[in-house]
Amino acid sequence: MDNAALMANPPKPPVDALTVLQTVFGYQSFRAHQQAVIENLLAGQDCFVLMPTGGGKSLCYQIPALILPGTAIVISPLIALMQDQVSALKAYGVKAAYYNSTLDFETADQVLMQLHTGQLDLLYVSPERLLNESFLKQLQQLPIALFAIDEAHCVSQWGHDFRPEYSQIGSLRQAFAQVPFLALTATADEVTRQDILDRLQLQQPQVHISGFDRPNIRYRVAEKHQPMQQLLTFLADQAVVDQSGIVYCLSRKRVEEVAQKLQQSGYSAKAYHAGLPSDIRHSVHQQFMRDEVTIVVATVAFGMGIDKPNVRFVVHYDLPKNIEGYYQETGRAGRDGLPSEALLLYGAQDVNTARYFVNQNPNEAQQRIEAHKLEAMVQFAEAMTCRRKVLLHYFGESLEQNCGNCDVCLNPPKFYDGTTEAQKALSCVYRLQESYGMRYVIDVLRGLEHERIRLSNHQQLSTYGIGKHLSAIQWESIFRQLIHLGYLRQDIQHYSVLRLTAKAGEVLRGQVSLQLASPRDSLISLKRSGAKQDKAELTASERQAFEELRQLRKEIADSEERPAYQVFGDAVLFEMVKKRPQTDGDLLAINGVGERKLARYGFEFLTQLRSLENV
């Protein structure tokens, strides 16, 4: 490095990590693993960090960036994340910028000038821009504080979101041998973790795994039946009414339909998918970030990296393809640590569709990986035990006690001797020569009279009508459980017809008895009856104070043309309402209020809080 570069990048004043945490970001103490990661990076060591969404991964590199000489380079595939994080960092007074394809030539040139003259603490870069030969040569002439590879699971072919351009990042390790590298992800099983370490060529990395549990998220699964009505019932719940949320659908057509129906039902909802013009997608994103739109109905691409802490619910209208994706998407709720909801609507047809697409993959090895991941997702959805236990087990983590905050724990299924019903179901599949799908078999069992049955003369079967005593929903539940228990399988290559397995004979011959779970009402199960007390519940007067602080925050945010949470998040306002700070010192003691934000917003919020003293 030449003298000109050194003069352009003067050394930063000495400061310790805790001081930066408290004075810049306004937090009083580190979360689990944060301090250890920061100390490793300050000592020049490589690190691999696995933390759940909302666990504080960003601070692991943002704080060292403010202490180490030079500029920290953050590699991210997510343009929305770059924009959000840079905007949030600037609100804290941090010198940050991003460099990606959205910048015009003049703006991009200005960012590079800031980089070369030492005006940036952090620069967020897309993989494509980073690997540009000219840009890499420029970086080699500058002091680099560290490289942070965000969404590191994209490096691995075993990950749920493999991106080929990420695979080249490992080549940088030798070119910048003296610079610490940090890989971060929220979703990676054991195989994916090892693949990340190998592909990024990390040097004796310190591995930090803080766990996958998000105890503030309530996981719920409902059998899909009249899904739009189920969604409306869920949205009417006091836990999510008028709150920010995301509804995920698998197809663009479904996104448009659901968004339109929500609008017709009086909700502030917008559609978001890749088929929309970029200016509309950008507008929807900005409106959602600024709380001008309450609900975004989207394909799974939406939300990737969005740093919006007050998303209170995530609904999967269709079944996700894998647990990693489901975990990452549900993790966009409750990043601020306040109680949040995750609802999955699960139907057998979703599974059939997903399996069909998996089987279309011409790469046999990748097809096996995707099939395995889909089956794990189905097992989660069909679980009759604590869902959090199932979820954490997938990632190799155990939970000793039931979580008490999922639908299975709060509303345990009731079991009954289902041997007779199982025998009827399996017998009907046999009598139909294993040539029909679930819906038709149920129609025959229930003795329905329609043209297809008459033309096939199936009203003459001995199993015709022997299941009249149960509803179609009850029979669907029985068939799903028989599939899950291994007595039936769905032949995806032949229109999902039901086939008997070798185990089915044991039930038909009466050699085993089956305990089956009674299906729960698809609407009642969406209510929060029996739920334990939420830590974020406010009294009526506290709720009024909270809403007044939210209004003040929105006015300030609108005047600065930034998302409201970048002024203060909901968790900060919640703590203000509970503690009622009256002085600058009191306000600084609130988590999330640093010196920069105290100077910027302290007077207005303290004035408002003092006026609420008797509220």
Side-chain angles (χ1 to χ4, degrees):
M1 192 185 313
D2 56 31
N3 290 332
L6 284 171
M7 291 177 65
N9 292 272
K12 296 171 184 176
V15 66
D16 67 271
L18 183 59
T19 300
V20 174
L21 179 75
Q22 293 173 340
T23 59
V24 177
F25 297 100
Y27 296 104
Q28 302 308 305
S29 59
F30 288 106
R31 295 187 192 179
H33 293 275
Q34 283 181 327
Q35 186 170 3
V37 174
I38 291 167
E39 289 174 354
N40 290 154
L41 290 172
L42 294 179
Q45 295 174 297
D46 287 358
C47 290
F48 171 83
V49 173
L50 192 155
M51 285 184 182
T53 303
K57 291 187 296 296
S58 299
L59 287 177
C60 290
Y61 59 80
Q62 290 171 348
I63 289 177
L66 298 178
I67 298 173
L68 291 169
T71 302
I73 305 298
V74 184
I75 306 160
S76 172
L78 310 172
I79 288 175
L81 175 64
M82 295 185 198
Q83 295 169 337
D84 294 343
Q85 289 208 340
V86 167
S87 177
L89 284 168
K90 286 181 175 179
Y92 283 114
V94 176
K95 297 176 289 185
Y98 57 84
Y99 184 61
N100 57 39
S101 59
T102 66
L103 300 180
D104 58 42
F105 179 81
E106 184 178 347
T107 306
D109 199 46
Q110 183 180 12
V111 169
L112 291 179
M113 183 274 292
Q114 290 176 314
L115 174 66
H116 280 275
T117 54
Q119 296 180 47
L120 296 177
D121 294 312
L122 294 103
L123 178 64
Y124 288 75
V125 185
S126 61
E128 299 82 2
R129 286 292 175 101
L130 174 75
L131 296 168
N132 177 278
E133 186 176 350
S134 172
F135 183 67
L136 280 177
K137 286 182 178 178
Q138 294 178 58
L139 288 185
Q140 288 177 306
Q141 304 304 313
L142 297 170
I144 304 300
L146 59 91
F147 281 96
I149 302 99
D150 204 6
E151 308 293 339
H153 55 269
C154 296
V155 172
S156 173
Q157 64 175 334
W158 302 102
H160 70 286
D161 192 23
F162 173 60
R163 304 195 181 199
E165 66 272 15
Y166 249 59
S167 61
Q168 303 175 52
I169 295 175
S171 62
L172 298 182
R173 194 66 202 84
Q174 301 308 315
F176 296 89
Q178 305 306 313
V179 178
F181 274 56
L182 169 65
L184 309 104
T185 181
T187 48
D189 57 22
E190 193 170 344
V191 174
T192 305
R193 292 175 218 165
Q194 189 57 52
D195 201 29
I196 292 170
L197 297 177
D198 294 340
R199 288 175 177 267
L200 290 179
Q201 303 177 36
L202 301 184
Q203 301 172 350
Q204 299 180 318
Q206 301 297 306
V207 176
H208 299 271
I209 299 176
S210 66
F212 290 87
D213 194 12
R214 294 286 305 282
N216 63 310
I217 296 178
R218 174 166 298 159
Y219 296 103
R220 291 195 268 175
V221 179
E223 293 183 11
K224 185 183 282 190
H225 177 66
Q226 297 180 327
M228 193 64 218
Q229 184 57 49
Q230 289 174 284
L231 176 59
L232 291 173
T233 299
F234 172 78
L235 294 177
D237 192 314
Q238 287 303 307
V240 299
V241 68
D242 296 328
Q243 300 284 351
S244 289
I246 305 172
V247 179
Y248 284 114
C249 305
L250 284 183
S251 71
R252 298 176 185 179
K253 181 180 178 183
R254 181 74 56 79
V255 164
E256 298 279 2
E257 290 172 351
V258 173
Q260 184 178 27
K261 288 178 180 177
L262 287 178
Q263 290 166 5
Q264 291 169 350
S265 299
Y267 287 95
S268 170
K270 290 286 183 73
Y272 183 106
H273 58 71
L276 295 171
S278 59
D279 59 330
I280 292 180
R281 293 201 308 273
H282 178 74
S283 174
V284 171
H285 170 242
Q286 290 300 312
Q287 288 176 306
F288 183 63
M289 298 301 287
R290 295 180 181 179
D291 296 329
E292 295 165 5
V293 166
T294 305
I295 301 170
V296 169
V297 185
T299 51
V300 294
F302 180 78
M304 288 289 286
I306 281 184
D307 193 15
K308 180 176 169 67
N310 65 330
V311 174
R312 290 275 75 86
F313 66 88
V314 169
V315 175
H316 282 88
Y317 202 85
D318 301 307
L319 183 74
K321 294 183 292 185
N322 50 64
I323 283 185
E324 290 94 338
Y326 170 78
Y327 175 80
Q328 187 176 54
E329 288 146 19
T330 56
R332 290 165 193 156
R335 293 171 64 102
D336 54 11
L338 298 181
S340 301
E341 303 282 334
L343 170 65
L344 165 63
L345 299 180
Y346 170 71
Q349 189 55 47
D350 289 351
V351 182
N352 297 339
T353 303
R355 284 180 177 146
Y356 172 80
F357 284 115
V358 166
N359 291 334
Q360 301 310 301
N361 192 326
N363 184 320
E364 289 188 16
Q366 200 66 33
Q367 185 184 116
R368 285 196 300 273
I369 294 170
E370 291 177 7
H372 167 75
K373 291 179 180 293
L374 175 60
E375 288 309 311
M377 187 68 235
V378 171
Q379 289 172 21
F380 170 83
E382 294 183 345
M384 294 296 174
T385 56
C386 171
R387 294 202 194 278
R388 202 175 307 271
K389 278 188 172 181
V390 178
L391 189 63
L392 296 180
H393 176 74
Y394 178 83
F395 291 110
E397 191 174 326
S398 61
L399 188 67
E400 295 300 321
Q401 304 293 327
N402 289 341
C403 75
N405 196 30
C406 72
D407 59 324
V408 176
C409 288
L410 295 169
N411 184 21
K414 296 177 181 178
F415 288 88
Y416 67 98
D417 186 342
T419 308
T420 300
E421 280 72 21
Q423 289 172 332
K424 290 178 179 180
L426 296 174
S427 294
C428 196
V429 172
Y430 176 75
R431 297 294 178 190
L432 288 167
Q433 301 180 344
E434 303 175 74
S435 299
Y436 294 87
M438 185 188 301
R439 289 188 180 182
Y440 186 79
V441 177
I442 291 172
D443 285 353
V444 173
L445 275 171
R446 298 183 67 228
L448 267 62
E449 298 178 9
H450 56 61
E451 186 177 7
R452 189 180 179 196
I453 288 178
R454 287 196 302 273
L455 289 174
S456 301
N457 208 30
H458 285 153
Q459 72 274 18
Q460 300 298 321
L461 293 178
S462 60
T463 52
Y464 178 75
I466 63 173
K468 287 182 177 178
H469 61 297
L470 296 180
S471 69
I473 293 174
Q474 289 172 308
W475 277 117
E476 284 178 16
S477 176
I478 290 169
F479 275 101
R480 262 196 291 273
Q481 291 180 68
L482 290 174
I483 293 168
H484 184 51
L485 293 169
Y487 297 105
L488 285 172
R489 68 180 179 87
Q490 290 176 297
D491 190 338
I492 307 302
Q493 293 180 317
H494 294 89
Y495 307 100
S496 296
V497 301
L498 292 173
R499 310 281 199 198
L500 299 172
T501 68
K503 289 178 62 179
E506 300 173 359
V507 177
L508 289 169
R509 292 189 294 269
Q511 295 173 327
V512 297
S513 60
L514 292 182
Q515 290 292 307
L516 299 179
S518 299
R520 289 172 293 183
D521 187 289
S522 58
L523 296 182
I524 292 175
S525 65
L526 299 180
K527 300 184 184 299
R528 288 164 59 92
S529 56
K532 62 185 180 181
Q533 182 90 350
D534 283 331
K535 67 176 184 180
E537 285 187 351
L538 300 172
T539 64
S541 61
E542 288 172 339
R543 172 59 60 183
Q544 179 186 341
F546 184 80
E547 292 302 327
E548 291 191 28
L549 290 180
R550 282 185 68 189
Q551 182 58 37
L552 171 62
R553 178 183 66 179
K554 186 178 188 313
E555 291 170 2
I556 294 172
D558 288 348
S559 71
E560 296 183 352
E561 297 186 343
R562 67 170 66 250
Y565 74 85
Q566 289 183 3
V567 177
F568 289 125
D570 281 2
V572 178
L573 300 190
F574 174 78
E575 194 173 344
M576 287 183 186
V577 167
K578 287 293 186 183
K579 294 184 176 178
R580 301 296 175 100
Q582 299 295 300
T583 67
D584 285 1
D586 293 341
L587 199 55
L588 270 178
I590 300 289
N591 268 313
V593 182
E595 291 181 353
R596 171 74 176 230
K597 288 196 175 182
L598 174 67
R600 196 165 183 171
Y601 309 123
F603 176 78
E604 290 170 285
F605 275 87
L606 283 173
T607 300
Q608 184 75 24
L609 285 160
R610 288 169 187 146
S611 73
L612 297 171
E613 191 171 357
N614 296 316
V615 173

